[in-house]
């Protein structure tokens, strides 16, 4: 279901979603009259937002190399002469500041930590900051509300380790992922964790939001720990459902992740 930016207004020290393609979110972090843009797959909605609100672009953050996250990056960087922070590897044209796990940097008086989160892609990184009222995490396509990214390049073991890194952050961390996948993710989650009352209640709220064409992100890490099967791999019901799906005995959480991720791909 497409969504609209009609109700978006300029807010100081806020994070605003811009829509791109059919379900992408480009996140714009506003601080005063300047902004940071995260994963601009398309430059046009960003330029429109900057012009309409008389804002300047100070930096671009890139989580991974997929075109729906990088397609507008070069145009924006050239037009606004701003730095681009992204994964190391010299494989994304236009990245000026290549980053590795544990590195820190400052933009607009905000301090960001870099977390390598491979699984969806091998180069995937996430950006964490505790400089705002709530900690924030821009996690691209690693963690979604109710789900996680497809394993296009990485392994289930890598995704498991990446999600465990994220699970260690404070529970009030706000999760800014890059797609509106929540409704479909929760439909699958209910298939494999049907007795989860937190999941049942949150799914109703999400359905109401999407029926009104409203967004479901950000989510909180604390909430995700109660509803997201990929953060609840030790749950006996989820493990049993995974074993029934593959008709095998599962001996580890990594095997559970691999099974339910494969199941989700065909759901």
């Amino acid at each position: 279901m497409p969504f609209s930016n009609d109700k978006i207004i300029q807010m100081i020290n806020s994070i605003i979603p811009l829509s791109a393609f059919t379900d992408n979110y480009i996140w714009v972090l506003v601080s005063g009259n300047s902004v940071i843009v995260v994963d601009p797959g398309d430059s046009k909605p960003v330029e429109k937002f900057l012009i309409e609100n008389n804002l300047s672009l100070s930096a671009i953050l890139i989580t991974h190399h997929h075109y729906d996250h990088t397609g507008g990056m070069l145009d924006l960087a050239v037009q606004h002469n701003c730095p681009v922070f992204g994964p190391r590897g010299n494989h994304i044209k236009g990245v000026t500041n290549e980053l590795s796990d544990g590195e820190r940097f400052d933009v607009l008086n905000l301090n960001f930590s870099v977390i390598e989160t491979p699984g969806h892609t091998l180069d995937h990184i996430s950006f964490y900051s505790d400089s705002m009222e709530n900690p924030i995490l821009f996690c691209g396509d690693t963690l979604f509300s109710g789900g996680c990214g497809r394993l296009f390049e990485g392994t289930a073991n890598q995704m498991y380790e990446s999600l465990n890194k994220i699970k260690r952050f404070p529970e009030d961390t706000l999760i800014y992922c890059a797609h509106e996948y929540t409704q479909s993710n929760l439909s699958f989650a209910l298939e494999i964790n049907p007795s989860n009352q937190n999941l049942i209640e949150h799914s109703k709220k999400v359905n109401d939001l999407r029926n009104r064409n409203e967004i479901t992100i950000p989510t909180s890490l604390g909430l995700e720990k109660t509803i997201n099967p990929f953060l609840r791999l030790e749950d006996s019901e989820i493990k049993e459902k995974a074993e029934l799906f593959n008709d095998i005995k599962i001996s580890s959480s990594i095997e559970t992740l691999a099974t339910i991720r494969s199941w989700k791909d065909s759901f």
Side-chain angles (χ1 to χ4, degrees), residues 142-143 159-167 230-231 257:
T142 296
L143 176 67
M159 180 62 81
Y160 177 77
E161 294 298 330
S162 294
L163 294 176
N164 274 345
K165 288 181 182 180
I166 292 174
K167 285 175 71 173
F230 293 93
L231 299 184
L257 188 153

Side-chain angles (χ1 to χ4, degrees), residues 182-196:
T182 310
Q183 193 169 37
S184 62
N185 284 342
L186 296 188
S187 293
F188 174 71
L190 286 168
E191 181 78 13
I192 61 175
N193 197 193
S195 70
N196 186 334

Side-chain angles (χ1 to χ4, degrees), residues 29-205:
L29 197 160
V30 181
S31 180
N33 294 317
S34 300
V35 306
I36 301 166
V37 172
V38 184
D39 284 349
D42 186 354
S43 63
K44 292 187 288 294
V46 178
E47 292 286 10
K48 182 174 184 289
F49 180 80
L50 294 174
I51 292 169
E52 289 180 349
N53 295 282
N54 194 29
L55 297 169
S56 62
L57 179 58
S58 293
I60 298 170
L61 310 186
I62 298 293
T63 61
H64 64 292
H65 65 84
H66 284 166
Y67 187 77
D68 62 325
H69 295 250
T70 63
M73 176 257 291
L74 271 176
D75 287 345
L76 291 169
V78 170
Q79 178 68 25
H80 298 274
N81 190 29
C82 66
V84 179
F85 298 85
R88 62 184 169 86
N90 196 33
H91 60 295
I92 304 177
K93 184 179 179 181
V95 171
T96 59
N97 298 65
E98 294 194 341
L99 301 166
S100 300
D101 194 70
E103 291 194 70
R104 304 176 72 94
F105 63 94
D106 293 300
V107 181
L108 297 182
N109 296 316
L110 298 173
N111 182 260
F112 288 94
S113 299
V114 178
I115 307 96
E116 290 183 358
T117 50
H120 177 66
T121 63
L122 294 177
D123 68 342
H124 204 299
I125 61 176
S126 299
F127 299 92
Y128 174 81
S129 177
D130 58 6
S131 300
M132 301 181 73
E133 183 176 356
N134 283 84
I136 59 174
L137 182 73
F138 296 109
C139 56
D141 288 357
T142 296
L143 176 67
F144 297 117
S145 184
C148 74
R150 286 176 180 260
L151 304 179
F152 283 124
E153 298 172 4
T155 65
N157 184 73
Q158 286 175 315
M159 180 62 81
Y160 177 77
E161 294 298 330
S162 294
L163 294 176
N164 274 345
K165 288 181 182 180
I166 292 174
K167 285 175 71 173
R168 297 187 189 109
F169 289 122
E171 293 202 347
D172 63 344
T173 299
L174 297 179
I175 306 297
Y176 291 88
C177 57
H179 291 275
E180 182 55 74
Y181 290 163
T182 310
Q183 193 169 37
S184 62
N185 284 342
L186 296 188
S187 293
F188 174 71
L190 286 168
E191 181 78 13
I192 61 175
N193 197 193
S195 70
N196 186 334
Q197 291 301 312
N198 292 315
L199 174 60
I200 292 168
E201 290 303 312
H202 187 63
S203 181
K204 293 176 183 176
K205 294 177 183 177

